[in-house]
Amino acid sequence: MQVPLYQAKADFFRMLGHPVRIRVLELLQHGPVPVRDLLADIEIEPSSLSQQLAVLRRSGIVVSIREGSTVRYALAGGDVAELLRAARRILTELLAGQNQLLAELQQADAAPPPLPTSGRH
């Protein structure tokens, strides 16, 4: 039985739903990066990074490239970088809207309370 497209998309986004995986993908946007550099930038245990890289590799989002004793990781395609840019644009818009709402709330808190009105006209 074939998985419905919406389920495949949900599985894809669930796979991306880990901060270390997102950080790895961000670091790989500009080209292949050796594992030692990923470790230095992300500052997690090597075994944890290895687990997250394995998830990304199994999903086909990243590829590993062995050069002698050095292993570099790279994005499998440019679409992932575009997805990250789209996420950044969406978050920017969401946060801008939240900042506007926050400013309105702060302005309302700073305004003097309205004068009570009597029932007489």
Side-chain angles (χ1 to χ4, degrees):
M1 185 171 90
Q2 188 172 357
V3 174
L5 180 57
Y6 62 84
Q7 181 64 50
K9 287 179 181 179
D11 292 343
F12 173 77
F13 282 110
R14 196 173 303 114
M15 181 275 305
L16 289 177
H18 193 286
V20 170
R21 291 182 217 142
I22 296 296
R23 185 65 184 132
V24 166
L25 295 175
E26 288 175 342
L27 292 170
L28 298 180
Q29 287 183 90
H30 306 293
V33 178
V35 172
R36 69 176 174 276
D37 292 355
L38 292 173
L39 278 168
D41 286 334
I42 300 174
E43 298 179 357
I44 63 170
E45 292 295 320
S47 60
S48 295
L49 179 61
S50 180
Q51 287 174 342
Q52 301 309 326
L53 287 169
V55 170
L56 293 171
R57 205 174 45 248
R58 279 193 305 270
S59 71
I61 291 184
V62 301
V63 294
S64 60
I65 306 157
R66 182 169 289 282
E67 297 168 347
S69 63
T70 301
V71 177
R72 294 160 97 50
Y73 278 84
L75 295 178
D79 289 342
V80 174
E82 179 54 37
L83 176 64
L84 293 172
R85 284 189 293 275
R88 208 169 7 262
R89 286 190 303 268
I90 291 167
L91 285 172
T92 299
E93 290 174 16
L94 290 173
L95 291 173
Q98 290 176 359
N99 283 339
Q100 182 178 352
L101 179 59
L102 177 61
E104 291 172 12
L105 287 170
Q106 289 171 333
Q107 191 175 32
D109 285 345
L115 295 173
T117 58
S118 65
R120 292 180 267 154
H121 291 305

